Structure formats: structure tokens, C-alpha cells
Amino acid sequence: MAKHALYESIKQRMTAGGLRSMPVPAWGVTVYFKSTTPHEAALAKAAVDDQDPLSYYHVQLVCLKALDENGKRIFLNDQAADMRHWPCLETFAELAGEMMKSVTVEEAEKNSVKTRA
């Protein structure tokens, strides 16, 4: 069954998001990431208990989504528990906040072109 052209157009717009970045002076690096999808947010939420502090969710989300300049994950899933005890919970909150920001289709297309270049 052939895919409808409109479907392909919509699909491309929904997957057009490029990498965004945020310098993290406390770590001496720039962290790269794509905007968080509802599925990724749910994965991070499922990894923490309801009675855990919000900072645990932030750590889990950053652990899941933080990338290096080559688009490779920086952290492993099993490192999140240790990362919860790092003395930089504000950094995790700031990164998680940036990761959760929505991006307009126009911004995503612009970033996608930059990423491909």
C-alpha cells in the first residue's frame, strides 16, 4: 500500500528536529540533546518512584537524553542513581527544563538544516 504524500510531509515535519545544545560550565562541557518526546518523558518518569523528589526525575531525563557533540549518549542508564547524589542538582534542573521546551516546526527545520550541514 502506497503512503499518501500528505502523510510523508507531516511525518517529515514531526521528525525534523535537530540537536540543540546548552553549555554546562559546572561540568566544563556543552551538552547536546533533542527536544523531549512524550514517550521519553514517560520513560524518565517510570524510572523514579512517586515519592521521590522532582530532582530524581531531572537526573533521569538528563541521563537519558544528554548527548556529546557526535550525538552519542553521555550517560548510561545505570549511572542515574549515582548522579542523584552529585552536588549540582540545579544543573540537572536547568538541563531538564531546556530538554522539555517545545520547539516550533520552523525552528526544528532550521536546526535540522544546520545539523545536516
Side-chain angles (χ1 to χ4, degrees):
M1 180 172 170
K3 292 182 181 176
H4 192 276
L6 183 56
Y7 167 84
E8 287 301 322
S9 174
I10 293 169
K11 179 180 175 185
Q12 199 226 346
R13 284 180 172 264
M14 294 301 101
T15 59
L19 288 179
R20 295 171 42 215
S21 64
M22 181 176 160
V24 183
W27 298 350
V29 299
T30 295
V31 173
Y32 297 83
F33 53 90
K34 287 189 175 188
S35 293
T36 302
T37 66
H39 176 72
E40 291 168 330
L43 286 174
K45 177 69 175 128
V48 297
D49 293 327
D50 288 338
Q51 67 271 16
D52 286 337
L54 181 59
S55 62
Y56 285 18
Y57 172 76
H58 294 153
V59 169
Q60 194 66 42
L61 187 66
V62 170
C63 183
L64 176 68
K65 298 199 51 68
L67 306 172
D68 66 15
E69 64 276 359
N70 298 311
K72 303 288 184 192
R73 282 188 63 190
I74 296 173
F75 305 111
L76 302 173
N77 292 341
D78 61 355
Q79 294 172 324
D82 181 52
M83 292 163 60
R84 293 173 182 173
H85 304 289
W86 289 5
C88 57
L89 295 180
E90 308 84 31
T91 301
F92 287 112
E94 290 171 12
L95 271 168
E98 283 298 312
M99 291 172 174
M100 293 294 294
K101 282 185 181 176
S102 295
V103 176
T104 66
V105 171
E106 290 78 21
E107 289 171 331
E109 287 174 343
K110 185 175 82 175
N111 289 337
S112 180
V113 170
K114 286 181 183 177
T115 303
R116 283 187 240 147

